[in-house]
Amino acid sequence: MQRLLVTGGAGFIGSNFVHYVLENTEDHVTVLDKLTYAGHVESLSGLPESRFRFVQGDICDAALVDGLVAGSDVVVHYAAESHNDNSLHDPRPFLDTNIIGTYTLIEAARKHQKRFHHISTDEVYGDLELDDPERFTENTPYNPSSPYSSTKAGSDLLVRAWVRSFGLQATISNCSNNYGPYQHVEKFIPRQITNVIDGIRPKLYGKGENVRDWIHANDHSSAVLAIIAKGRIGETYLIGADGEKNNKDVVELILKHMGQSPDAYDHVVDRPGHDLRYAIDSSKLRKELGWEPRFSNFDAGIEDTISWYRDHEDWWRPQKAATEAKYQEQGQ
């Protein structure tokens, strides 16, 4: 039994991890979350009070962070500003949270000699050509293309430097695109699902040829637990489930499962600097730690995700109008 401090645990991937930990281990979890627009305390409802605590606060608050880290065994750092479009319109919050916030956490972990796991993204590697057979590995050079991915790359490098310079007991994981419950409706898959529920045609950037490597949030969670338990200190592990799909195919799959014509969507202006393709080689994680994804059927995973959003309209409805109004202003 361990005491986990999970930053950003009211966000999409973080909340899924908290649910997974409490359902599959005997660990205790404290969540630290600022509750920005992307964090929802409702995503943590129904958790056992004897093993779960929620603290609203900022990871840049050094005094608050110091006390929480001191009382934990492991820090799992999910908190991040993570939306590419938002980073293009206002980069500053990404610097504050992703760089200064990470620095604040690793300094506390160093001071109190705590195990630290840093959650990152495959977007730090830039992108691959659509017809390139290669995939990202732990040795792929960093080549970020947005304020979001560049600040995540910077946070990765901070963790690596603290391991080498100060002996921080840390690991890093870079994961491909997640999907599943509790994802904000500004993101690609839930935006399309909730648009169809509302009778709005889905929106597709450009030609829809951009490829993402999709993984269910529960598989991400199980991989993180495996790295915390068995990962080698100082190492980076890539997490992926061989789920490459282009955006056009994803939209058409969603429409099919929701009883719509597969061409019932609209093309909108493409995102500036839109990365072409992400693809993860997770063989190191699988060979070293024996991890395997459980949700290998993307078609079934999408069907389950659609069902979740149909059944939890009370969770996403308050976010929807403001999100679509913002996209409309941007012509997207």
Side-chain angles (χ1 to χ4, degrees), residues 117-180:
H117 183 69
H118 179 64
I119 306 295
S120 191
T121 170
D122 58 358
E123 295 192 39
V124 300
Y125 301 113
D127 60 350
L128 301 164
E129 295 296 329
L130 294 177
D131 58 355
D132 188 343
E134 295 300 316
R135 296 188 289 172
F136 299 137
T137 74
E138 288 80 3
N139 297 318
T140 301
Y142 278 22
N143 187 30
S145 57
S146 72
Y148 160 55
S149 55
S150 62
T151 55
K152 286 300 291 182
S155 67
D156 292 6
L157 296 177
L158 285 174
V159 175
R160 290 184 183 180
W162 259 241
V163 171
R164 180 167 178 174
S165 296
F166 304 118
L168 182 69
Q169 297 294 294
T171 45
I172 299 172
S173 58
N174 297 79
C175 191
S176 57
N177 285 57
N178 281 231
Y179 71 99

Side-chain angles (χ1 to χ4, degrees), residues 1-6 17 21 25 27-31 53 71-76 225 228:
M1 183 174 63
Q2 299 184 100
R3 298 168 299 168
L4 272 59
L5 173 63
V6 180
F17 177 74
V21 168
T25 76
D27 292 345
H28 290 245
V29 175
T30 296
V31 165
R53 177 170 68 123
S72 304
D73 301 311
V74 182
V75 180
V76 190
L225 278 183
I228 291 170

Side-chain angles (χ1 to χ4, degrees), residues 83-138:
H83 196 274
N84 268 305
D85 288 338
N86 292 346
S87 79
L88 294 167
H89 287 87
D90 184 10
R92 180 55 191 263
F94 293 76
L95 293 162
D96 292 336
T97 297
N98 299 350
I99 299 296
I100 302 302
T102 299
Y103 161 76
T104 304
L105 287 161
I106 58 179
E107 276 291 87
R110 173 168 77 105
K111 172 184 175 182
H112 296 289
Q113 299 182 344
K114 302 296 184 179
R115 176 76 166 86
F116 188 89
H117 183 69
H118 179 64
I119 306 295
S120 191
T121 170
D122 58 358
E123 295 192 39
V124 300
Y125 301 113
D127 60 350
L128 301 164
E129 295 296 329
L130 294 177
D131 58 355
D132 188 343
E134 295 300 316
R135 296 188 289 172
F136 299 137
T137 74
E138 288 80 3

Side-chain angles (χ1 to χ4, degrees), residues 122 128 133-138 174-179 211-217 219-220 223 238-246 250 253 277-287 291-301:
D122 58 358
L128 301 164
E134 295 300 316
R135 296 188 289 172
F136 299 137
T137 74
E138 288 80 3
N174 297 79
C175 191
S176 57
N177 285 57
N178 281 231
Y179 71 99
V211 172
R212 299 297 178 259
D213 192 348
W214 295 99
I215 183 173
H216 194 280
D219 281 334
H220 188 181
L238 267 58
I239 304 174
D242 301 325
E244 285 189 64
K245 300 284 182 183
N246 71 40
V250 173
L253 181 63
R277 172 174 166 258
Y278 306 147
I280 285 281
D281 180 349
S282 60
S283 57
K284 176 180 175 180
L285 173 67
R286 300 183 190 215
K287 291 175 182 177
W291 175 84
E292 291 289 341
R294 292 185 57 196
F295 297 88
S296 56
N297 186 327
F298 182 72
D299 192 291

